[in-house]
Amino acid sequence: MDAKGLESLGAELKRVRPIKDIGRVCAVEGNLLRISGLNAVARIGDLLEVTLHDGAKIAGEVIQLHTQDMTMLPDAAPDGVSIGDRVALRDQVGIAPSDAWIGRIIDPYGNPLDGKPLLRGPEMRPLKNAPPPPAARRALGDRLETGMAIFNTMLPIVKGQRIGLFAGSGVGKSSLMGQFAKHMTGDIAVIALIGERGRELREFVENVLGPEGLKRSIVVAATSDQSPLVRRRCALAAMSVAEHFRDAGKHVIFMADSITRFAEAHREVAVASGEMPALRGYPPSTSHMIMSLCERAGPGLEGQGDITGVFSVLVAGSDMDEPIADILRGVLDGHVVLDRKIAERGRYPAVDLLRSVSRSLPHCATDQENATISEARRLLGAYEQSATMIRAGLYSAGSDPVLDVAINAWPELDAYMGDGNSASIMNAFQKLTLLLRRAGAKA
């Protein structure tokens, strides 16, 4: 065993406690349990474990404190729980990341999901850290290679930027995140799969991420059948893992799929703890919870690394004004809209460029590159405004010089936005410039 392994083993031994604090179940109220005997030692957010008479165990979290007892939200339905069942206060509250986690699949508590042994790191990190002081954070960094033409040119991503992927289900969101994990410039990728279907975890790891992407990634997963406590913890634990590597000077690609399911899990926990739904069924604390998570990503302090964040949002019926999408748009440094109509005609990534924005522009590109991007957007906008007329055969060539160029550029420009084999940023801009020149010459 190497030095890091011995250090992790020593940390595990230090966390072993010969004495445990024990309480008892004093009431069962719906899906909530009342626990007595632990008020002097337990805090909000602490983990508890109930041992039933048949030896089965149910874990949960403290969500309310009262004078004589406390309220626990269990991870599973409280079937089989009886008055007087023993309740133990668990030691682990945060998560202890380690370099040995790279290439592994873990749950939100740091336990392995791939069937192999895994030691925790020497330092226990809290799940809810404060972001770096805003006045001391570094500025956004250099533009990142993504391997995809549209993100290498018209929707650039820079080091420390935070972007949102807004899409309905089945539009290619997970595939796009897999491409980022494999090809985006960075030292390590931390991927939070929140509320995914169980069968999709292996499919994402083996087919979307692949061995190439997994070897530099840590996947933190909580499936849809697990309790809202576990699903909410998934995003928080993954961000704590990303901060561990950022503090070590690494550039981390952090991806969360999806923030919508994170918000839904928080809603279930918050309502159970007594908070009233306010914004389309979401409690007031939802905004703060999402903003706090996103603010933890971004550039670090001097001497630290960066966390480049990609946050996906499920938008039902392409409603970009639903609460979660609206909150995220206001806090992120750009948003990418994936359109179902584009996906249905077979172009991936199905990015709707005209509805997408990268706030790293124009500063991350040269004047010439910005001019090229503006020209491409102008032609796409002209074609989009007249698309119905063009397809109906009602447009006469020569009526509008800009639209003539747009019609000539459209087939190649649409194919260009689906190019997933862009060699470099320079190569991608050269292709785009040549494409626009050819369209102008034909007109």
Side-chain angles (χ1 to χ4, degrees):
M1 184 178 288
D2 58 15
K4 288 186 177 179
L6 288 172
E7 188 178 24
S8 295
L9 181 59
E12 291 279 0
L13 293 174
K14 285 181 181 178
R15 294 187 187 110
V16 175
R17 291 182 59 195
I19 300 175
K20 290 186 177 181
D21 296 302
I22 301 295
R24 298 286 174 177
V25 175
C26 61
V28 180
E29 300 173 348
N31 285 328
L32 302 178
L33 305 181
R34 289 266 193 159
I35 312 298
S36 62
L38 291 174
N39 290 51
V41 291
R43 303 160 297 174
I44 293 291
D46 279 355
L47 303 179
L48 303 175
E49 188 174 69
V50 181
T51 303
L52 309 185
H53 287 312
D54 61 1
K57 297 181 184 295
I58 297 178
E61 184 176 305
V62 178
I63 61 171
Q64 290 180 344
L65 292 174
H66 311 284
T67 305
Q68 301 298 327
D69 55 28
M70 66 184 65
T71 302
M72 167 187 170
L73 178 62
D75 285 351
D79 297 339
V81 175
S82 59
I83 302 299
D85 282 346
R86 191 176 69 170
V87 182
L89 180 65
R90 293 171 59 179
D91 298 326
Q92 180 181 346
V93 176
I95 194 165
S98 164
D99 291 355
W101 289 13
I102 301 175
R104 303 296 301 275
I105 308 167
I106 64 172
D107 71 8
Y109 298 96
N111 302 313
L113 293 176
D114 50 13
K116 304 172 187 175
L118 184 68
L119 290 175
R120 293 180 290 182
E123 179 188 357
M124 185 68 71
R125 302 185 67 97
L127 294 182
K128 296 180 181 179
N129 283 314
R137 295 183 97 158
R138 289 179 286 106
L140 295 175
D142 299 329
R143 195 162 51 186
L144 301 175
E145 297 274 4
T146 65
M148 290 173 281
I150 190 170
F151 293 103
N152 277 358
T153 54
M154 293 179 279
L155 287 174
I157 301 173
V158 300
K159 186 183 290 187
Q161 187 175 353
R162 299 164 301 186
I163 67 165
L165 298 182
F166 296 79
S169 57
V171 187
K173 172 172 44 65
S174 296
S175 298
L176 179 55
M177 296 182 77
Q179 289 291 317
F180 283 142
K182 287 190 285 189
H183 301 298
M184 188 183 289
T185 308
D187 299 313
I188 180 174
V190 178
I191 305 168
L193 299 179
I194 308 159
E196 288 286 352
R197 286 164 286 191
R199 66 165 184 82
E200 289 184 336
L201 172 58
R202 185 168 180 178
E203 181 180 336
F204 177 83
V205 171
E206 294 183 356
N207 300 329
V208 178
L209 196 58
E212 179 186 356
L214 183 60
K215 69 181 181 183
R216 70 159 189 165
S217 302
I218 298 173
V219 179
V220 185
T223 53
S224 59
D225 63 307
Q226 294 181 284
S227 79
L229 288 171
V230 180
R231 286 182 274 127
R232 185 178 70 165
R233 184 185 174 95
C234 182
L236 301 173
M239 184 61 79
S240 292
V241 172
E243 289 171 331
H244 165 79
F245 290 99
R246 178 204 63 196
D247 293 349
K250 304 287 188 184
H251 174 213
V252 184
I253 309 298
F254 174 83
M255 287 178 280
D257 186 16
S258 71
I259 295 300
T260 304
R261 296 194 186 107
F262 169 66
E264 289 170 349
H266 173 69
R267 175 174 60 189
E268 292 182 53
V269 177
V271 171
S273 64
E275 195 173 350
M276 295 299 293
L279 183 63
R280 295 197 197 177
Y282 290 97
S285 61
T286 303
S287 294
H288 178 70
M289 179 67 70
I290 292 174
M291 291 178 181
S292 298
L293 179 71
C294 294
E295 281 297 332
R296 291 166 65 182
L301 305 175
E302 291 297 333
Q304 294 182 344
D306 304 273
I307 299 176
T308 300
V310 180
F311 302 87
S312 78
V313 185
L314 283 167
V315 285
S318 300
D319 181 12
M320 290 292 290
D321 294 321
E322 63 93 21
I324 307 307
D326 198 41
I327 292 168
L328 270 174
R329 275 206 317 275
V331 74
L332 297 179
D333 307 313
H335 56 272
V336 177
V337 178
L338 303 184
D339 190 274
R340 188 174 300 279
K341 292 180 180 178
I342 296 175
E344 286 173 349
R345 60 181 172 82
R347 195 253 280 168
Y348 291 95
V351 176
D352 186 338
L353 180 66
L354 299 179
R355 297 171 64 198
S356 304
V357 173
S358 173
R359 292 180 182 169
S360 62
L361 286 174
H363 307 293
C364 73
T366 65
D367 291 342
Q368 183 178 352
E369 290 169 346
N370 279 315
T372 301
I373 293 169
S374 297
E375 176 65 10
R377 279 185 170 271
R378 185 171 73 105
L379 296 179
L380 284 170
Y383 186 90
E384 185 71 23
Q385 287 179 353
S386 305
T388 303
M389 184 172 61
I390 294 167
R391 292 178 185 132
L394 300 176
Y395 175 72
S396 299
S399 302
D400 184 341
V402 174
L403 189 52
D404 288 339
V405 177
I407 292 170
N408 290 328
W410 168 252
E412 284 192 83
L413 198 53
D414 187 59
Y416 174 85
M417 289 189 290
D419 181 6
N421 297 300
S422 178
S424 65
I425 293 172
M426 182 180 295
N427 177 268
F429 267 111
Q430 288 174 347
K431 284 184 180 180
L432 181 58
T433 303
L434 184 60
L435 183 159
L436 296 175
R437 283 178 183 169
R438 281 201 301 264
K442 287 180 184 178

